[in-house]
Amino acid sequence: MTLDFDGLVCSVFAGLPAPDVARQLYDALPPDLAADALANWATETDPLPLL
């Protein structure tokens, strides 16, 4: 079973495509994170790993 944030349990991301939410989360990351982490996360399309 998978718990997402866009379904019946929680509608935090309801109405937004997951890649859009992931991009918004990535853009909100603090700039002082490790550069390699930012590079790996730049192409993430699933918001949950970014959380």
Side-chain angles (χ1 to χ4, degrees):
M1 181 174 147
T2 301
L3 177 63
D4 287 326
F5 289 95
D6 60 356
L8 299 174
V9 175
C10 183
S11 62
V12 173
F13 302 145
L16 294 173
D20 290 351
V21 174
R23 173 52 53 187
Q24 290 176 17
L25 288 171
Y26 175 80
D27 290 343
L29 290 172
D32 61 342
L33 288 176
D36 59 333
L38 290 176
N40 291 336
W41 294 343
T43 57
E44 182 60 63
T45 59
D46 182 359
L48 294 180
L50 295 173
L51 289 174

